[in-house]
Amino acid sequence: MGEYVEAFLQCKMDSSEGDELRSSLEAVISEEKVAIELFKIQIQHCSKQIDGINAIAARKTPTHELMAKKRAFEEHKTVLNIAAQIQQCSYEIKGVQKILYFEKGDSSRERIIAEVSLMVYEWCEDLLEMTGRKFQKLAEGLLTQPDLLKFRIARQRLKDFFDREKASLSSVRHNVGAHRDHDFMAERAIIDKFDWVRTIELLSEFERLILGVSPYVQALISAGLNQIDQAFNKN
């Protein structure tokens, strides 16, 4: 059954549908690269504003209003950083998909499947850490209760996915990615179980989970901008 599905998918990738998918991925990759550059500009702006406030505070006793402005920029920078990380993750997923979908050579497929396992493991671990207790405390002050609940549900789904896949991903990461045990037979035993179709499904599921978290981080960005506006426009 697995070989039939793989042959079917390979035929689709080699058809006009595959050409359309490749073009679509290339277009999205270009768009996401622009979005990453915009995040860099926004984060640099926050850093510049924070540095400016610190310079003022170093010259005279800082006021409550000045510190409120600094805190608003610091919190906004934190949210932007996580949003940018999610954007970077999405960008990397698209780049890997473009290679994974159309690669036919066994050796190249093995290498890219190992890279997918490493990427998914590292991003799951990083994103769950970055959206942990400290970040959620910040979110509590910015999001509505319904959005906060939806964000936590989306994050829990990502955690459940990582808990389910962690042992398998870690095995590839440890034995194939880092070659830590220098055990050829153990490494080949893992590689021989690599499944192209299963890897496509895994990466697609991971992508859906990332997209599930993203809207609530975007809501935090909007809330953070409102907070900055309020800090600068208090009566």
Side-chain angles (χ1 to χ4, degrees):
M1 183 66 177
E3 292 180 358
Y4 172 79
V5 173
E6 181 172 339
F8 175 75
L9 281 176
Q10 189 63 70
C11 285
K12 288 178 74 70
M13 296 305 177
D14 291 338
S15 70
S16 59
E17 291 183 52
D19 292 337
E20 290 175 8
L21 176 59
R22 189 195 302 270
S23 296
S24 176
L25 282 171
E26 289 174 349
V28 173
I29 288 169
S30 295
E31 291 172 0
E32 295 202 350
K33 179 64 174 176
V34 172
I36 288 171
E37 292 303 314
L38 290 174
F39 273 120
K40 287 169 61 177
I41 292 170
Q42 293 176 78
I43 292 170
Q44 287 168 353
H45 174 72
C46 286
S47 296
K48 184 176 180 180
Q49 296 302 313
I50 293 167
D51 289 344
I53 292 171
N54 285 336
I56 294 171
R59 293 195 302 268
K60 60 182 181 180
T61 303
T63 63
H64 173 75
E65 289 77 12
L66 187 66
M67 290 299 97
K69 293 175 182 178
K70 179 182 177 182
R71 184 170 60 254
F73 277 115
E74 287 175 337
E75 291 183 352
H76 194 54
K77 182 181 176 181
T78 297
V79 174
L80 285 172
N81 178 65
I82 292 176
Q85 296 279 9
I86 292 174
Q87 187 72 67
Q88 179 69 31
C89 178
S90 178
Y91 176 73
E92 291 181 13
I93 289 172
K94 300 299 188 305
V96 169
Q97 284 173 332
K98 183 183 173 185
I99 301 170
L100 178 66
Y101 290 171
F102 302 102
E103 184 55 63
K104 295 180 182 180
D106 288 342
S107 177
S108 297
R109 276 191 180 177
E110 287 175 1
R111 189 67 258 161
I112 195 62
I113 288 172
E115 290 298 327
V116 168
S117 298
L118 177 62
M119 183 186 75
V120 172
Y121 184 99
E122 297 291 350
W123 272 117
C124 280
E125 193 170 62
D126 289 347
L127 290 173
L128 288 170
E129 180 180 349
M130 285 188 289
T131 58
R133 186 173 298 177
K134 184 177 179 180
F135 179 78
Q136 291 187 51
K137 187 69 176 177
L138 186 158
E140 287 175 2
L142 294 173
L143 288 180
T144 64
Q145 281 300 312
D147 277 349
L148 181 63
L149 177 60
K150 290 175 185 176
F151 164 73
R152 285 175 170 163
I153 291 172
R155 182 183 182 277
Q156 184 61 47
R157 287 174 178 157
L158 178 62
K159 184 178 183 303
D160 291 344
F161 166 83
F162 189 40
D163 289 344
R164 188 190 77 207
E165 301 292 341
K166 187 173 184 178
S168 175
L169 296 171
S170 180
S171 179
V172 176
R173 177 173 175 259
H174 181 91
N175 292 286
V176 182
H179 308 280
R180 289 180 183 170
D181 293 336
H182 305 288
D183 188 330
F184 171 78
M185 293 303 291
E187 184 175 335
R188 285 309 312 179
I190 293 169
I191 292 173
D192 289 343
K193 293 179 182 177
F194 281 175
D195 186 318
W196 182 62
V197 176
R198 164 63 181 145
T199 304
I200 289 174
E201 293 172 344
L202 178 80
L203 194 57
S204 295
E205 183 179 2
F206 176 58
E207 182 180 30
R208 288 195 299 272
L209 292 168
I210 294 301
L211 292 174
V213 174
S214 183
Y216 308 106
V217 178
Q218 293 299 321
L220 277 167
I221 292 175
S222 297
L225 288 172
N226 289 334
Q227 185 181 48
I228 291 172
D229 182 65
Q230 291 171 11
F232 277 85
N233 293 286
K234 284 186 175 180
N235 292 329

